[in-house]
């Protein structure tokens, strides 16, 4: 076996093609993973539509949310909990920070490490070729931490924990405790918004209010525990949305607002927050041209990028331990095969699904 099939972006905005991509030899400590599921993320669509950042250069295997089984290991490896990793184990794996730059070593903020390795944006014609998840196999560098997936978590949900869900866990980690009298407003009803709804409920919020669209996504939001939802497409006047939040919070505004849409939602989000509240800014897309009339007094503004390896574990643990409380599988709306990649990307681009999964 020298090559495998992969969904490759060869030109922005043009259909992806299924290509044969080289399977590399394994360096000591690295692994070869047979992919079982790859979920798609909004970022995959943004990267497909146009270059994301200066370093994007094509061809790229799309996808950065993989789950798979260990096909081969070069030497001995243990997982994040110190248990041996064996062939056939179903796993997810972390991104890699360099460990020695200012952000890693001094500030202890590895998610903003300048030498960070992540997936879904590396050239498929350069070693080690297989660093995108919409492929039959992926190469896992030796620096990645491995998280085993318990039997009760599906491959599709585990895959979604490799980006969407672990970022949400990182956000709540930084936010700290939610008190039992507090109301949380979530801006966005995509995969992050729906997962953030479940975590806010789980962490003890009195009320979770979600502002999002379209209606099919909000139906899932309700199942994930939202106490009330507001459809952006129906309530188009920002003032009315603000009034809705005020009506739910005795006129004060929310104790916590979680932005999981994009940066353009921040100005409105700040008006939904009470004085002294906490704003958790997760959605990183869109221009951050943030003009605000008034910044809430004594507020905290927290921004999040990606996640640390422990947040992969937290997301997998949450999926396993809360599976009887929240119907996580409802967030994976539609399953596709690898050769249907364009259909799947289109469905993500037009929001007709919450999350699409490529099953292998
Ligand atoms: Zn992502
Ligand atoms: Zn670093």
């Amino acid at each position: 076996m020298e090559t495998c099939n992969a969904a490759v972006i060869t030109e922005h905005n043009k259909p992806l093609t299924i290509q044969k991509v080289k399977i590399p030899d394994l360096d000591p400590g690295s692994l070869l993973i047979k992919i079982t599921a790859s979920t798609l993320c909004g970022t995959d669509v943004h990267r497909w539509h146009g270059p994301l950042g200066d370093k994007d250069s094509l061809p790229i295997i799309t996808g950065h949310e993989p789950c798979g089984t260990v096909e081969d290991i070069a030497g001995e490896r243990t997982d994040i909990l110190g248990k041996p990793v064996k062939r056939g184990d179903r796993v997810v794996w972390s991104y890699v920070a360099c460990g020695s730059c200012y952000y890693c070593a001094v500030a202890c903020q590895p998610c903003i490490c300048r030498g960070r390795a992540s997936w879904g944006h590396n050239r498929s014609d350069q070693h080690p070729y297989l660093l995108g998840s919409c492929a039959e196999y992926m190469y896992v560098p030796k620096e990645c931490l491995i998280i085993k997936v318990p039997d009760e978590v599906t491959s599709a949900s585990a895959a979604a924990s490799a980006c969407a869900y672990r970022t949400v866990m990182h956000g709540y980690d930084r936010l700290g405790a939610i008190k039992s009298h507090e109301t949380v407003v979530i801006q966005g009803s995509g995969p992050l918004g729906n997962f953030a709804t479940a975590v806010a409920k789980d962490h003890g919020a009195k009320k979770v209010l979600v502002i999002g669209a379209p209606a099919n996504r909000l139906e899932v939001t309700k199942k994930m525990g939202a106490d009330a939802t507001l459809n952006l497409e129906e309530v188009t006047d920002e003032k009315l949305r603000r009034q809705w939040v005020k009506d739910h919070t005795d006129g004060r505004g929310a104790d916590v607002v979680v932005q999981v849409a994009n940066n353009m939602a921040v100005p409105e989000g700040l008006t939904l927050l009470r004085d002294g509240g906490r704003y958790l800014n997760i959605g990183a897309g869109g221009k951050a041209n943030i003009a605000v009339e008034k910044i809430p007094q004594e507020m905290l503004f927290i921004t999040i990028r990606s996640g640390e390896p422990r947040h992969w574990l937290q997301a997998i643990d949450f999926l396993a331990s809360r599976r009887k409380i929240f119907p996580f599988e409802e967030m994976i709306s539609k399953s596709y095969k690898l050769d249907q990649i364009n259909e799947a990307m289109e469905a993500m681009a037009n929001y007709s699904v919450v999350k699409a999964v490529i099953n292998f």
Side-chain angles (χ1 to χ4, degrees), residues 41 43 64-65 163:
C41 165
T43 307
H64 55 275
E65 297 189 349
C163 171

Side-chain angles (χ1 to χ4, degrees), residues 133-329:
S133 63
C134 292
E136 290 171 311
Y137 290 90
M138 257 186 99
Y139 175 84
V140 177
K142 66 177 190 310
E143 296 85 1
C144 296
L145 294 183
I146 311 289
I147 296 98
K148 292 197 196 190
V149 179
D151 290 344
E152 55 269 32
V153 177
T154 64
S155 286
S157 277
S161 76
C163 171
Y165 302 166
R166 56 96 165 111
T167 308
V168 170
M169 295 318 267
H170 183 195
Y172 282 100
D173 204 357
R174 296 266 306 276
L175 180 73
I178 297 171
K179 303 209 174 89
S180 56
H181 64 273
E182 291 188 313
T183 293
V184 177
V185 166
I186 313 249
Q187 294 180 281
S189 54
L192 283 95
N194 287 332
F195 197 70
T197 300
V199 180
K201 282 306 276 187
D202 185 80
H203 285 17
K206 180 174 81 177
K207 218 187 269 183
V208 179
L209 312 173
V210 180
I211 301 175
N216 64 318
R217 286 188 161 195
L218 288 171
E219 282 312 307
V220 179
T221 310
K222 287 176 200 156
K223 292 180 188 163
M224 299 305 284
D227 294 285
T229 61
L230 191 74
N231 188 334
L232 273 171
E233 290 171 349
E234 286 165 8
V235 184
T236 53
D237 184 346
E238 192 183 320
K239 282 197 213 84
L240 294 177
R241 299 197 286 262
R242 188 150 51 246
Q243 192 56 47
W244 180 75
V245 172
K246 291 228 153 128
D247 290 346
H248 273 286
T249 54
D250 299 322
R252 281 186 307 271
D255 302 285
V256 174
V257 174
V258 180
Q259 186 278 101
V260 271
N262 69 48
N263 281 317
M264 282 160 337
V266 175
E268 176 174 344
L270 291 177
T271 69
L272 307 177
L273 191 66
R274 70 164 169 83
D275 280 337
R278 287 105 76 206
Y279 194 84
L280 179 58
N281 196 52
I282 296 180
K287 289 230 161 42
N289 186 4
I290 300 167
V292 287
E293 251 173 56
K294 179 174 169 279
I295 295 171
Q297 293 178 319
E298 298 206 359
M299 72 162 289
L300 273 181
F301 193 99
I302 303 163
T303 64
I304 291 297
R305 176 166 195 247
S306 187
E308 298 174 30
R310 63 202 164 99
H311 300 126
W312 266 259
L313 179 69
Q314 286 174 11
I316 293 288
D317 273 350
F318 192 81
L319 289 167
S321 60
R322 308 310 201 264
R323 71 188 185 281
K324 296 203 171 129
I325 305 168
F326 302 107
F328 296 117
E329 295 313 307

